Amino acid sequence: MPIPSPLRLLGLLTSSLLLAAALPAQEAIKVGEFASLTGKEAVFGQSSHKGTLLAAEEINAAGGLLGRKLELITEDNQSKQGESATAVKKLISRDKVIAILGEVASSRSLEAAPIAQKEKVPMISPSSTNPRVTEMGNYVFRVCFIDPFQGTVLAKFAKNTLKAKRAALLTSVSSAYSVGLAKFFREQFLADGGVIAVEQKFSEGDKDFKAQLTAVRAAGVDAIFVPGYYTEAALITKQARQLGLHVPIFGGDGWEAPALIELGGKAVEGVFYSTHYSPEIPTPEVQGFVQKFRARFGGETPDAMAALGYDSMLVLADAIRRAGTTNGPALRDALAATKDFHGITGKTTLNAQRNAEKAAVIITVKDGQFKFVETVEP
Ligand code: PHE
């Protein structure tokens, strides 16, 4: 970059001062969001977006931030590879957003994070759990737990509650989330004396899992772990039951979507998965949130993505207030100092790795409904 001469600098300064004077005093604070509003994981993006939007609306109703209104600008990545990078570039260069919220799926957060980092625009993922997301740099945060914890919770659950000794592992090799969660589960399950009797692979979008499940059947296991997203999880469970495999099947937070039950039908009765929150948690915070969300979105009950989306916006707002500015480095420092922030998914404290440490929740499917089983503290 050429070094501007003092004269030119002066010119730049005066023109930006003039520009500032010409702007309305109360220019909105622009926050960018990228989400899978359409496409394969539209449920994730829609839920997360509704939670984020509700929080932004509430902040504005209460007078905004630093005397300014908040403007949420949302870009749809269509659940497609490559689109998250494009969306975040657009939000930063065209819209000049001061922070980025997103994504749910780890692979898509991983795509966007290096861009936010390079531009020094703080990014908060509401619900991506793969550890690598925040390792992308010191401008990248998340308000959820990470998969080394989730994998441990699931391995302990398999051993202690399901009494599983020989497990099967079905990993989606095209998803960073799935590969990571499989690894952390495997490590803990083996450390506790369990055996992974068979490992099989699939890819996002696959529809036929008979070959993998035939191998699982041949291996003779007492539980099947499927770290993946809800569409494949539902199909795998359905096909497993058709093949006469009646052992417990379980997964992680990627299973969380009404579509799991819609696609899986009777086959998903009795499955288990871990996640971040349940609308059944009887605290005033959770129950108040459920009521507000239902009132705003036609009776819909908020899931974990909605709760974390909501919390991501609130954590950002809290940091903006403490920073007293929306300037990137100052806002980054304020975010990094987030401590004991009370949200819907518990208390958020961002640790030195910019991750939150929070409890996990186990859910089962009973009579075609999601049912809260237990909370597991970190
Ligand atoms: N944790 C998942 C990922 O990292 C995304 C997810 C979060 C899905 C919450 C459902 C609920 O890809």
Side-chain angles (χ1 to χ4, degrees), residues 48 101-104 124-128 142-144 305 308-309 312:
S48 191
L101 300 177
E103 229 253 17
V104 174
I124 308 175
S125 164
S127 46
S128 288
R142 80 179 102 214
V143 293
C144 59
M305 284 82 75
L308 286 166
S312 70

Side-chain angles (χ1 to χ4, degrees), residues 44 103-109 125-130 133 142 144-145 147 150 175-178 181 228-230 252-257 273-276 303-305 308:
F44 286 171
E103 229 253 17
V104 174
S106 288
S107 293
R108 294 194 280 270
S109 291
S125 164
S127 46
S128 288
T129 46
N130 187 279
V133 172
R142 80 179 102 214
C144 59
F145 58 63
D147 286 334
Q150 182 165 221
S175 149
Y177 159 73
S178 186
L181 189 53
Y229 295 139
Y230 57 92
D253 55 350
W255 281 37
E256 170 128 6
Y273 67 87
S274 56
T275 187
H276 308 261
D303 56 18
M305 284 82 75
L308 286 166

Side-chain angles (χ1 to χ4, degrees), residues 35-95:
S36 52
L37 296 178
T38 59
K40 193 169 159 285
E41 274 99 39
V43 182
F44 286 171
Q46 289 289 346
S47 267
S48 191
H49 172 64
K50 284 175 189 158
T52 309
L53 179 64
L54 179 62
E57 287 173 353
E58 287 179 8
I59 291 163
N60 280 336
L65 291 170
L66 312 180
R68 294 158 68 186
K69 285 267 175 238
L70 206 60
E71 187 189 343
L72 183 66
I73 305 176
T74 309
E75 283 285 325
D76 177 16
N77 57 31
Q78 303 160 57
S79 310
K80 281 191 194 145
Q81 214 187 327
E83 292 298 324
S84 295
T86 311
V88 167
K89 277 182 195 151
K90 233 193 255 174
L91 287 168
I92 295 175
S93 62
R94 180 198 62 191
D95 299 313

